[in-house]
Amino acid sequence: MTVPGLFGLEGELVSLRIRVEPKHLEDLLEALALLDFPVNPQLYHRPGSSNCGVSGLFRPPGEVGDAIRNHGFKQESLEVSRILV
């Protein structure tokens, strides 16, 4: 059974998670701050890694992927998931 996603005027509502080393967390937050739409990152820390979660995003995840790649982060660090699964 396929669950329909949630959609708004600017696309599907998704949840994003970006994994980075703790020493690069500030660079990631700077990259997200340069986006032309507001994000409210939620930070989760584990030994050796940090996760930055962004949910409630109606924009294409590609914009976030481009922003983090332009700041030297690998595309594989970005995980996109649907809100309703």
Side-chain angles (χ1 to χ4, degrees):
M1 176 176 168
T2 303
V3 178
L6 293 176
F7 289 87
L9 295 175
E10 299 196 37
E12 184 176 7
L13 177 63
V14 296
S15 176
L16 305 177
R17 182 168 53 185
I18 307 161
R19 295 175 191 229
V20 297
E21 294 179 36
K23 65 182 178 181
H24 298 298
L25 185 57
E26 187 173 336
D27 295 332
L28 173 62
L29 294 176
E30 287 180 19
L32 294 175
L34 295 175
L35 294 169
D36 65 350
F37 52 92
V39 295
N40 185 17
Q42 299 171 358
L43 305 177
Y44 306 94
H45 302 283
R46 294 194 171 136
S49 73
S50 292
N51 289 320
C52 178
V54 179
S55 58
L57 187 65
F58 278 111
R59 296 288 182 129
E63 291 182 40
V64 176
D66 292 344
I68 65 172
R69 266 194 321 278
N70 290 339
H71 277 78
F73 295 99
K74 294 180 181 179
Q75 181 67 29
E76 300 83 46
S77 65
L78 176 62
E79 180 182 311
V80 180
S81 57
R82 297 175 86 181
I83 296 295
L84 296 177
V85 179

